[in-house]
Tab-separated table of all heavy atoms in Angstrom:
chain	number	residue	atom	x	y	z
A	448	GLY	N	-21.604	3.710	25.070
A	448	GLY	CA	-22.173	4.852	25.854
A	448	GLY	C	-21.168	5.930	26.122
A	448	GLY	O	-21.568	7.003	26.529
A	449	GLY	N	-19.848	5.667	25.890
A	449	GLY	CA	-18.884	6.742	26.078
A	449	GLY	C	-18.589	7.152	27.493
A	449	GLY	O	-19.195	6.592	28.449
A	450	GLY	N	-17.748	8.106	27.576
A	450	GLY	CA	-17.373	8.608	28.951
A	450	GLY	C	-18.624	9.142	29.544
A	450	GLY	O	-18.863	9.011	30.814
A	451	ILE	N	-19.454	9.911	28.751
A	451	ILE	CA	-20.623	10.582	29.342
A	451	ILE	C	-21.592	9.515	29.820
A	451	ILE	O	-22.264	9.680	30.865
A	451	ILE	CB	-21.146	11.590	28.390
A	451	ILE	CG1	-20.111	12.680	28.319
A	451	ILE	CG2	-22.497	12.032	28.788
A	451	ILE	CD1	-20.566	13.761	27.316
A	475	TRP	N	-14.661	17.972	32.869
A	475	TRP	CA	-15.199	16.619	32.808
A	475	TRP	C	-15.620	16.064	34.191
A	475	TRP	O	-16.561	15.506	34.389
A	475	TRP	CB	-14.055	15.680	32.232
A	475	TRP	CG	-14.061	15.875	30.701
A	475	TRP	CD1	-13.089	16.466	29.935
A	475	TRP	CD2	-15.205	15.656	29.820
A	475	TRP	NE1	-13.428	16.539	28.633
A	475	TRP	CE2	-14.717	15.984	28.476
A	475	TRP	CE3	-16.437	15.067	29.921
A	475	TRP	CZ2	-15.445	15.916	27.321
A	475	TRP	CZ3	-17.203	15.008	28.756
A	475	TRP	CH2	-16.764	15.367	27.522
A	521	CYS	N	-11.369	12.863	37.643
A	521	CYS	CA	-10.940	12.742	36.213
A	521	CYS	C	-9.473	12.895	36.191
A	521	CYS	O	-8.843	13.950	36.425
A	521	CYS	CB	-11.578	13.862	35.310
A	521	CYS	SG	-10.983	13.773	33.660
A	523	ASN	N	-7.233	12.917	33.881
A	523	ASN	CA	-6.724	13.818	32.857
A	523	ASN	C	-7.821	14.674	32.324
A	523	ASN	O	-8.706	14.131	31.659
A	523	ASN	CB	-5.976	13.107	31.751
A	523	ASN	CG	-5.310	14.076	30.791
A	523	ASN	OD1	-4.355	14.882	31.191
A	523	ASN	ND2	-5.756	14.117	29.539
A	525	THR	N	-9.264	16.773	29.880
A	525	THR	CA	-8.984	16.957	28.392
A	525	THR	C	-9.073	18.414	28.036
A	525	THR	O	-8.328	18.936	27.146
A	525	THR	CB	-9.936	16.115	27.648
A	525	THR	OG1	-10.120	14.906	28.313
A	525	THR	CG2	-9.489	15.912	26.271
A	549	ASP	N	-11.931	8.596	35.639
A	549	ASP	CA	-12.200	8.815	34.289
A	549	ASP	C	-10.815	9.098	33.649
A	549	ASP	O	-10.378	10.117	33.749
A	549	ASP	CB	-13.160	9.899	34.135
A	549	ASP	CG	-13.450	10.320	32.656
A	549	ASP	OD1	-12.798	9.688	31.768
A	549	ASP	OD2	-14.171	11.244	32.430
A	551	SER	N	-10.294	8.698	30.333
A	551	SER	CA	-10.642	8.637	28.825
A	551	SER	C	-9.435	9.197	27.968
A	551	SER	O	-9.154	8.698	26.910
A	551	SER	CB	-11.866	9.504	28.622
A	551	SER	OG	-12.997	8.948	29.117
A	552	SER	N	-8.843	10.353	28.418
A	552	SER	CA	-7.952	11.010	27.541
A	552	SER	C	-6.469	10.776	27.874
A	552	SER	O	-5.552	11.443	27.315
A	552	SER	CB	-8.252	12.539	27.556
A	552	SER	OG	-8.342	13.003	28.847
A	572	GLN	N	-12.033	6.970	22.067
A	572	GLN	CA	-11.668	7.816	20.835
A	572	GLN	C	-10.583	8.828	21.010
A	572	GLN	O	-10.279	9.653	20.103
A	572	GLN	CB	-12.947	8.583	20.270
A	572	GLN	CG	-13.456	9.690	21.278
A	572	GLN	CD	-14.436	9.151	22.281
A	572	GLN	OE1	-14.383	8.031	22.675
A	572	GLN	NE2	-15.345	10.080	22.793
A	573	LYS	N	-9.901	8.797	22.294
A	573	LYS	CA	-8.778	9.713	22.398
A	573	LYS	C	-7.505	8.999	22.138
A	573	LYS	O	-6.681	9.498	21.346
A	573	LYS	CB	-8.826	10.348	23.871
A	573	LYS	CG	-10.160	10.804	24.433
A	573	LYS	CD	-10.628	12.064	23.633
A	573	LYS	CE	-12.111	12.381	23.815
A	573	LYS	NZ	-12.540	12.675	25.166
B	1661	LIG	C1	-13.937	12.813	25.796
B	1661	LIG	C2	-14.128	12.630	27.235
B	1661	LIG	C3	-15.322	12.156	27.760
B	1661	LIG	C4	-16.571	11.999	26.978
B	1661	LIG	O1	-16.641	10.960	26.177
B	1661	LIG	P1	-17.887	10.674	25.266
B	1661	LIG	O2	-17.462	9.468	24.455
B	1661	LIG	O3	-18.167	11.890	24.447
B	1661	LIG	O4	-19.056	10.373	26.109
B	1661	LIG	C5	-15.367	12.009	29.144
B	1661	LIG	N1	-14.343	12.214	29.954
B	1661	LIG	C6	-13.189	12.696	29.369
B	1661	LIG	C7	-12.032	12.960	30.400
B	1661	LIG	C8	-13.035	12.864	28.053
B	1661	LIG	O5	-11.871	13.356	27.577
Side-chain angles (χ1 to χ4, degrees):
I451 291 180
W475 286 111
C521 176
N523 184 66
T525 322
D549 172 0
S551 294
S552 52
Q572 74 271 24
K573 312 293 164 60

